[in-house]
Amino acid sequence: MNALDKAICTVAPRVGARRLQARLAIRAAQTHLREMHYDAATSGRRSSSLRASSADADAASGRRARIAYVSRDMLRNNPWATRAKATISSHVVGDGIVPKLVGGSDALRAEWQSLLETHLETVNLDPDGRQNLFGMQGLAAGAMVSDGECLIVPSFSQLAARKGEFPLKLRVLEADYLDTTRQGFLQGNSGNTIFDGIEYDTEGNRVAYWLYDEHPGTAAPKKGRWSLTSKRYDAKFVIHLFRQDRPGQQRGVSWFAPVVLSMQDLADYQDAQILRQKIAACFTAFRKRADPLPENKDPVKKLSPGAILDLAPDEEISFGSPPETSGLDEFTRTVLRSIAVGMGITYESLTGDLAQVNFSSARMGRMDMDRNISAWQRLVMIPQMLQRIGEWIKMAWALQNPARAREINALRIEWTPPHRIIVDPAREIPALKEAVRSGFQTRRGVQRCFGIDPERILQEQIEEQAEAETHKLVFDSDASKVSNTGVTQARPAGSVLPKETDDE
């Protein structure tokens, strides 16, 4: 309302009201013309439940901490949530995403193998002595699913290096360690800003994290006292693992966010059905007495199966007849399918229910899920977490062997995801074999698909073949001596194949 409208409304309220009504009608028509091309852009009754927002990824997920707390509660009390997290973690990490050394001399490779078996595959890497490198991978992946993000912080020890021990320890931390109370511009000439405990420079690059010494919700602080002070950690020595769903997103959101309400509704529904069955199972007999109840006899307050209860002459108990429910199984399957879709896994892997699938449909669903698993491995776990850990391993290795630091820094560490479970070995293995023979795939490529280190399996094959020749043993697995049909192909030493002729 402008000044003229206010004046007209003061002198002639009816005329002013008509002017305002006409102006609102014109504005509504203009809005309708702008939105009429897409139904999703309309603001009518059908779209009243939609919440359109122009906020960026982090502003839209401002209550990510509450979502994480709710997800943890679901994991404590909801079996479907526990199963979903375990399924994702077991498929993404399994028994470990294995590091492989590329380059270097034979002596350095042998030293790497010893390092792998002595430290990385043991609990020596964990300050608490509970997890090896692969167990930490599982912890980090699980925290990323439940909380949306997690942190990994290394520590290097010069003293351990001087003692000949591997000087690297890794700590996997929940996102609660981030001091989110630190916000705004830093004093001084740096021009850095802090948002949710993450420090950024003037270019928007992460330069540091502000982390608590203890978990803010701990019941038993390691230092013997509660402290809410945080310290600055250089970003080079902090891994912030999360799945980025939107451009510019700086923090993760729990993967359970789209399905929490569905899981809770399903749990409440199941509890109601269980309670209904409990009530229905309370077959109780009632006996009406001609005389009043004794003074020490309490009135009926609780029903139990098989009980015989006395009623006073003026008492009568009636029961409601709840309607029969049908379609319980179909309703549960429908909700669980939506939960599986929201988590990016298949219904069969979430529930273990294979009653309504055949081999082909189960395999097609598994192929879609395998694409998600591969993306989480190669686009999240390996680049965000494991490549950084590989650099830290090289730093600690060079710290332990300063004379060979240059040679160690020139190495490259690659990571091989866990093997893919073969659904039908009788069909898939011959197909892979044919792909190798046709040149569409390499043996090493197939071995990596199964989570096998080609270098390790080649070394084992060389050792096995040498032992077999030493003891004059011939196995069907030796393709150079035995064909697929079991025919021995070995020939006397020095013999040659006959030369082919044009007639042949």
Side-chain angles (χ1 to χ4, degrees):
M1 184 183 296
N2 53 34
L4 179 60
D5 292 331
K6 292 180 180 179
I8 293 175
C9 288
T10 302
V11 178
R14 291 186 179 180
V15 177
R18 286 197 298 269
R19 285 171 57 87
L20 292 176
Q21 186 176 6
R23 183 172 294 147
L24 291 174
I26 293 173
R27 186 174 299 174
Q30 292 174 342
T31 302
H32 178 71
L33 288 174
R34 289 195 301 267
E35 297 179 349
M36 64 181 297
H37 299 290
Y38 289 96
D39 292 339
T42 59
S43 55
R45 177 182 57 82
R46 293 178 60 193
S47 61
S48 60
S49 62
L50 299 177
R51 299 180 182 179
S53 173
S54 60
D56 67 2
D58 294 293
S61 55
R63 301 194 68 186
R64 62 169 56 86
R66 173 172 171 77
I67 301 174
Y69 302 155
V70 170
S71 300
R72 294 174 189 174
D73 180 71
M74 299 291 290
L75 289 168
R76 288 190 293 265
N77 299 291
N78 191 306
W80 303 118
T82 304
R83 171 68 176 181
K85 175 184 174 181
T87 298
I88 295 175
S89 179
S90 62
H91 282 79
V92 172
V93 175
D95 52 4
I97 303 178
V98 182
K100 172 196 172 186
L101 191 67
V102 178
S105 61
D106 292 339
L108 205 59
R109 289 172 180 269
E111 187 176 342
W112 163 260
Q113 190 63 33
S114 175
L115 172 66
L116 184 66
E117 296 174 354
T118 306
H119 296 285
L120 304 185
E121 294 182 352
T122 67
V123 298
N124 293 336
L125 206 60
D126 184 4
D128 296 328
R130 293 185 178 87
Q131 301 289 341
N132 61 7
L133 176 61
F134 310 130
M136 292 182 181
Q137 295 174 9
L139 281 178
M144 179 175 60
V145 173
S146 62
D147 302 345
E149 55 189 348
C150 82
L151 306 165
I152 300 98
V153 179
S155 60
F156 299 88
S157 173
Q158 292 279 0
L159 179 60
R162 288 194 294 268
K163 291 181 177 180
E165 301 173 357
F166 194 63
L168 174 63
K169 301 288 185 181
L170 295 177
R171 296 171 60 210
V172 181
L173 307 176
E174 292 182 324
D176 305 55
Y177 276 81
L178 270 175
D179 185 359
T180 56
T181 62
R182 292 187 177 267
Q183 306 279 356
F185 291 94
L186 288 176
Q187 296 180 353
N189 299 324
S190 66
N192 293 354
T193 58
I194 302 181
F195 177 74
D196 277 354
I198 305 175
E199 184 178 337
Y200 303 89
D201 62 13
T202 55
E203 301 294 330
N205 301 315
R206 301 185 183 211
V207 294
Y209 289 81
W210 291 83
L211 306 179
Y212 293 116
D213 293 335
E214 301 282 352
H215 193 290
T218 184
K222 295 180 180 178
K223 296 183 178 180
R225 58 184 177 83
W226 280 264
S227 176
L228 291 180
T229 58
S230 58
K231 296 180 181 178
R232 187 180 186 271
Y233 289 76
D234 194 300
K236 295 180 181 179
F237 300 104
V238 177
I239 293 175
H240 188 191
L241 180 67
F242 67 94
R243 185 186 67 185
Q244 185 175 1
D245 299 319
R246 290 180 57 183
Q249 182 177 345
Q250 300 298 317
R251 294 191 58 189
V253 181
S254 172
W255 294 18
F256 287 102
V259 300
V260 162
L261 293 181
S262 297
M263 282 188 172
Q264 187 61 31
D265 290 342
L266 179 59
D268 292 342
Y269 178 72
Q270 290 178 328
D271 288 343
Q273 290 297 323
I274 292 173
L275 182 59
R276 178 179 177 276
Q277 295 300 323
K278 285 183 176 180
I279 295 174
C282 288
F283 295 104
T284 306
F286 298 94
R287 181 175 54 196
K288 287 191 176 182
R289 300 168 59 97
D291 53 331
L293 291 176
E295 294 182 358
N296 60 351
K297 189 79 170 182
D298 294 330
V300 178
K301 295 182 179 179
K302 183 179 180 181
L303 302 180
S304 59
I308 300 177
L309 303 177
D310 294 332
L311 299 178
D314 57 345
E315 287 184 324
E316 183 176 354
I317 294 181
S318 60
F319 297 93
S321 299
E324 292 290 336
T325 58
S326 59
L328 173 61
D329 292 342
E330 185 60 31
F331 172 78
T332 302
R333 282 194 293 267
T334 301
V335 176
L336 289 175
R337 286 191 181 99
S338 68
I339 293 173
V341 169
M343 297 299 295
I345 57 180
T346 62
Y347 166 80
E348 291 76 24
S349 63
L350 174 64
T351 64
D353 180 11
L354 303 176
Q356 297 185 345
V357 297
N358 53 35
F359 175 81
S360 298
S361 60
R363 189 170 184 271
M364 291 296 292
R366 177 60 186 271
M367 289 172 61
D368 286 338
M369 177 177 164
D370 284 343
R371 292 188 183 96
N372 290 337
I373 297 299
S374 179
W376 298 332
Q377 290 170 339
R378 301 187 180 279
L379 303 182
V380 182
M381 291 292 295
I382 292 178
Q384 288 189 26
M385 175 183 175
L386 298 179
Q387 288 180 353
R388 297 279 303 280
I389 290 179
E391 294 300 318
W392 294 343
I393 291 173
K394 288 167 52 178
M395 291 175 59
W397 194 5
L399 187 64
Q400 190 179 21
N401 300 274
R404 309 176 69 176
R406 180 176 298 180
E407 185 180 2
I408 292 173
N409 291 329
L411 299 173
R412 189 173 80 255
I413 297 178
E414 294 182 351
W415 298 86
T416 303
H419 67 282
R420 177 176 59 87
I421 302 298
I422 299 180
V423 180
D424 188 1
R427 297 182 184 179
E428 296 189 42
I429 290 181
L432 293 172
K433 177 181 176 181
E434 187 63 27
V436 173
R437 292 180 62 87
S438 303
F440 297 120
Q441 183 63 279
T442 63
R443 288 189 303 165
R444 294 187 176 186
V446 173
Q447 290 165 358
R448 291 191 183 97
C449 290
F450 292 111
I452 301 172
D453 183 3
E455 298 293 336
R456 177 176 292 187
I457 195 172
L458 178 61
Q459 184 64 32
E460 292 178 356
Q461 288 173 342
I462 293 174
E463 294 174 357
E464 287 184 352
Q465 186 172 358
E467 292 176 356
E469 291 178 355
T470 300
H471 298 285
K472 296 181 173 56
L473 301 175
V474 178
F475 297 98
D476 287 346
S477 60
D478 189 350
S480 65
K481 296 182 179 179
V482 181
S483 66
N484 283 338
T485 58
V487 178
T488 302
Q489 301 181 123
R491 290 179 172 83
S495 64
V496 296
L497 293 173
K499 190 174 182 179
E500 295 182 355
T501 62
D502 293 338
D503 294 339
E504 295 176 343

Short mmCIF file of all heavy atoms in Angstrom, two decimals, residues 1 32 56 68 85 132 136 146 149 164 176 185 189 193 195 219 232 251 255 267 280 295 309 328 343 362 368 406:
data_model
loop_
_atom_site.label_atom_id
_atom_site.label_comp_id
_atom_site.label_asym_id
_atom_site.label_seq_id
_atom_site.Cartn_x
_atom_site.Cartn_y
_atom_site.Cartn_z
N MET A 1 0.86 -1.18 0.00
CA MET A 1 0.00 0.00 0.00
C MET A 1 0.90 1.24 0.00
O MET A 1 1.71 1.44 0.89
CB MET A 1 -0.90 0.00 1.24
CG MET A 1 -1.89 1.14 1.26
SD MET A 1 -2.89 1.16 2.79
CE MET A 1 -3.78 -0.37 2.64
N HIS A 32 0.43 -16.52 -11.45
CA HIS A 32 -0.06 -17.73 -12.12
C HIS A 32 0.55 -17.87 -13.51
O HIS A 32 0.90 -18.97 -13.94
CB HIS A 32 -1.58 -17.69 -12.20
CG HIS A 32 -2.17 -18.87 -12.92
ND1 HIS A 32 -2.17 -20.14 -12.40
CD2 HIS A 32 -2.76 -18.96 -14.15
CE1 HIS A 32 -2.73 -20.97 -13.25
NE2 HIS A 32 -3.11 -20.28 -14.33
N ASP A 56 21.49 -22.75 0.38
CA ASP A 56 22.52 -23.65 -0.13
C ASP A 56 22.51 -24.95 0.67
O ASP A 56 21.70 -25.13 1.59
CB ASP A 56 23.89 -22.97 -0.11
CG ASP A 56 24.41 -22.70 1.30
OD1 ASP A 56 23.71 -23.08 2.27
OD2 ASP A 56 25.49 -22.12 1.43
N ALA A 68 21.54 -36.60 12.91
CA ALA A 68 22.51 -37.63 13.30
C ALA A 68 22.12 -38.29 14.61
O ALA A 68 22.22 -39.52 14.75
CB ALA A 68 23.90 -37.00 13.41
N LYS A 85 22.67 -50.04 7.65
CA LYS A 85 24.04 -49.57 7.86
C LYS A 85 25.04 -50.71 7.67
O LYS A 85 26.08 -50.52 7.01
CB LYS A 85 24.17 -48.99 9.27
CG LYS A 85 25.59 -48.58 9.63
CD LYS A 85 25.68 -48.11 11.08
CE LYS A 85 27.12 -47.84 11.48
NZ LYS A 85 27.25 -47.41 12.88
N ASN A 132 42.40 -52.70 13.09
CA ASN A 132 43.46 -52.52 12.12
C ASN A 132 43.00 -51.51 11.07
O ASN A 132 41.95 -50.89 11.20
CB ASN A 132 43.86 -53.86 11.50
CG ASN A 132 42.71 -54.52 10.76
OD1 ASN A 132 41.64 -53.95 10.58
ND2 ASN A 132 42.92 -55.75 10.32
N MET A 136 39.23 -49.75 10.72
CA MET A 136 39.00 -48.31 10.74
C MET A 136 38.23 -47.86 9.52
O MET A 136 37.41 -46.92 9.59
CB MET A 136 40.35 -47.58 10.81
CG MET A 136 41.09 -47.78 12.11
SD MET A 136 42.65 -46.86 12.15
CE MET A 136 43.25 -47.33 13.77
N SER A 146 25.59 -43.20 9.25
CA SER A 146 24.71 -42.83 10.35
C SER A 146 24.73 -41.33 10.63
O SER A 146 23.67 -40.72 10.80
CB SER A 146 25.09 -43.59 11.62
OG SER A 146 26.42 -43.26 12.01
N GLU A 149 28.98 -37.94 8.25
CA GLU A 149 30.37 -37.53 8.14
C GLU A 149 31.16 -38.10 9.31
O GLU A 149 30.58 -38.52 10.32
CB GLU A 149 30.48 -36.00 8.14
CG GLU A 149 29.81 -35.35 9.35
CD GLU A 149 29.72 -33.85 9.26
OE1 GLU A 149 30.36 -33.26 8.37
OE2 GLU A 149 29.02 -33.25 10.10
N GLY A 164 62.48 -47.94 16.04
CA GLY A 164 62.25 -48.89 14.97
C GLY A 164 60.81 -49.28 14.79
O GLY A 164 60.50 -50.16 13.99
N ASP A 176 30.98 -35.06 16.12
CA ASP A 176 30.73 -34.28 17.33
C ASP A 176 31.99 -33.57 17.82
O ASP A 176 31.90 -32.60 18.59
CB ASP A 176 30.20 -35.19 18.44
CG ASP A 176 28.97 -35.95 18.02
OD1 ASP A 176 29.04 -36.64 16.99
OD2 ASP A 176 27.94 -35.88 18.72
N PHE A 185 34.60 -14.31 11.66
CA PHE A 185 35.93 -13.89 11.21
C PHE A 185 36.94 -14.02 12.34
O PHE A 185 36.63 -13.78 13.51
CB PHE A 185 35.89 -12.44 10.71
CG PHE A 185 35.11 -12.26 9.44
CD1 PHE A 185 33.77 -11.91 9.49
CD2 PHE A 185 35.70 -12.46 8.21
CE1 PHE A 185 33.04 -11.74 8.32
CE2 PHE A 185 34.98 -12.30 7.05
CZ PHE A 185 33.65 -11.94 7.09
N ASN A 189 45.34 -10.37 10.58
CA ASN A 189 45.43 -9.98 9.18
C ASN A 189 45.23 -11.15 8.21
O ASN A 189 45.40 -10.98 7.01
CB ASN A 189 46.82 -9.35 8.91
CG ASN A 189 47.04 -8.10 9.75
OD1 ASN A 189 46.10 -7.34 9.98
ND2 ASN A 189 48.28 -7.90 10.19
N THR A 193 37.99 -17.16 7.91
CA THR A 193 36.70 -17.25 8.57
C THR A 193 36.48 -18.68 9.04
O THR A 193 37.09 -19.63 8.52
CB THR A 193 35.55 -16.86 7.61
OG1 THR A 193 35.59 -17.72 6.45
CG2 THR A 193 35.69 -15.42 7.16
N PHE A 195 33.44 -21.53 9.98
CA PHE A 195 32.04 -21.93 9.92
C PHE A 195 31.93 -23.36 10.42
O PHE A 195 32.56 -24.26 9.88
CB PHE A 195 31.49 -21.82 8.49
CG PHE A 195 30.07 -22.29 8.35
CD1 PHE A 195 29.02 -21.52 8.83
CD2 PHE A 195 29.78 -23.51 7.75
CE1 PHE A 195 27.72 -21.95 8.70
CE2 PHE A 195 28.48 -23.95 7.63
CZ PHE A 195 27.44 -23.16 8.11
N ALA A 219 31.03 -39.72 28.93
CA ALA A 219 30.72 -39.95 30.34
C ALA A 219 31.98 -40.23 31.14
O ALA A 219 31.95 -40.21 32.37
CB ALA A 219 29.76 -41.12 30.48
N ARG A 232 43.31 -26.14 17.27
CA ARG A 232 43.38 -25.97 15.82
C ARG A 232 44.26 -27.06 15.22
O ARG A 232 45.40 -27.26 15.63
CB ARG A 232 43.95 -24.59 15.48
CG ARG A 232 43.92 -24.24 14.00
CD ARG A 232 44.51 -22.84 13.80
NE ARG A 232 44.38 -22.41 12.42
CZ ARG A 232 45.27 -22.64 11.46
NH1 ARG A 232 46.37 -23.35 11.75
NH2 ARG A 232 45.08 -22.20 10.24
N ARG A 251 29.64 -29.94 4.53
CA ARG A 251 29.49 -30.97 5.55
C ARG A 251 28.45 -31.98 5.10
O ARG A 251 27.60 -31.69 4.25
CB ARG A 251 29.10 -30.35 6.89
CG ARG A 251 30.18 -29.47 7.52
CD ARG A 251 29.82 -29.11 8.94
NE ARG A 251 29.65 -30.31 9.77
CZ ARG A 251 29.17 -30.29 11.00
NH1 ARG A 251 28.80 -29.13 11.55
NH2 ARG A 251 29.05 -31.41 11.70
N TRP A 255 22.72 -40.38 6.00
CA TRP A 255 22.07 -41.06 4.88
C TRP A 255 20.67 -41.53 5.25
O TRP A 255 19.88 -41.87 4.37
CB TRP A 255 22.91 -42.25 4.45
CG TRP A 255 24.25 -41.88 3.87
CD1 TRP A 255 24.91 -40.68 4.01
CD2 TRP A 255 25.11 -42.70 3.08
NE1 TRP A 255 26.11 -40.71 3.36
CE2 TRP A 255 26.26 -41.93 2.78
CE3 TRP A 255 25.02 -44.00 2.60
CZ2 TRP A 255 27.31 -42.45 2.02
CZ3 TRP A 255 26.07 -44.51 1.85
CH2 TRP A 255 27.20 -43.74 1.55
N ALA A 267 8.01 -49.04 12.51
CA ALA A 267 8.24 -49.59 13.85
C ALA A 267 7.01 -49.40 14.74
O ALA A 267 6.61 -50.31 15.48
CB ALA A 267 9.47 -48.93 14.48
N ALA A 280 -5.34 -59.89 22.13
CA ALA A 280 -6.18 -60.97 21.63
C ALA A 280 -5.82 -62.31 22.27
O ALA A 280 -6.66 -63.22 22.36
CB ALA A 280 -6.05 -61.08 20.11
N GLU A 295 -13.35 -58.13 51.04
CA GLU A 295 -12.70 -56.82 51.14
C GLU A 295 -11.25 -56.86 50.66
O GLU A 295 -10.72 -55.88 50.16
CB GLU A 295 -12.76 -56.34 52.59
CG GLU A 295 -14.17 -56.05 53.08
CD GLU A 295 -14.16 -55.53 54.51
OE1 GLU A 295 -13.05 -55.44 55.09
OE2 GLU A 295 -15.25 -55.21 55.01
N LEU A 309 -11.11 -64.79 36.83
CA LEU A 309 -11.31 -63.60 37.66
C LEU A 309 -12.75 -63.55 38.16
O LEU A 309 -13.68 -63.90 37.43
CB LEU A 309 -10.98 -62.34 36.85
CG LEU A 309 -9.56 -62.28 36.25
CD1 LEU A 309 -9.40 -61.02 35.43
CD2 LEU A 309 -8.52 -62.34 37.35
N LEU A 328 -0.98 -56.89 5.90
CA LEU A 328 0.17 -56.51 6.72
C LEU A 328 1.47 -56.76 5.99
O LEU A 328 2.37 -55.90 5.96
CB LEU A 328 0.13 -57.28 8.04
CG LEU A 328 1.36 -57.13 8.95
CD1 LEU A 328 1.55 -55.68 9.36
CD2 LEU A 328 1.24 -58.03 10.17
N MET A 343 18.02 -45.60 0.79
CA MET A 343 19.38 -45.87 1.24
C MET A 343 20.31 -46.26 0.09
O MET A 343 21.52 -46.38 0.29
CB MET A 343 19.38 -46.98 2.29
CG MET A 343 18.62 -46.66 3.56
SD MET A 343 19.28 -45.24 4.45
CE MET A 343 20.89 -45.84 4.92
N ALA A 362 16.80 -60.68 -9.30
CA ALA A 362 17.73 -60.42 -8.21
C ALA A 362 19.07 -59.93 -8.74
O ALA A 362 19.69 -59.03 -8.16
CB ALA A 362 17.91 -61.68 -7.37
N ASP A 368 22.38 -52.82 -10.11
CA ASP A 368 22.16 -51.41 -9.77
C ASP A 368 22.82 -51.05 -8.44
O ASP A 368 23.42 -49.99 -8.29
CB ASP A 368 20.66 -51.11 -9.71
CG ASP A 368 20.03 -51.06 -11.09
OD1 ASP A 368 20.78 -50.84 -12.06
OD2 ASP A 368 18.81 -51.26 -11.19
N ARG A 406 63.62 -40.30 -0.10
CA ARG A 406 63.35 -39.89 -1.48
C ARG A 406 62.76 -41.04 -2.28
O ARG A 406 61.81 -40.84 -3.06
CB ARG A 406 64.63 -39.39 -2.14
CG ARG A 406 64.45 -38.95 -3.58
CD ARG A 406 65.72 -38.38 -4.16
NE ARG A 406 66.14 -37.19 -3.42
CZ ARG A 406 67.24 -36.48 -3.74
NH1 ARG A 406 68.01 -36.87 -4.74
NH2 ARG A 406 67.55 -35.41 -3.03
#
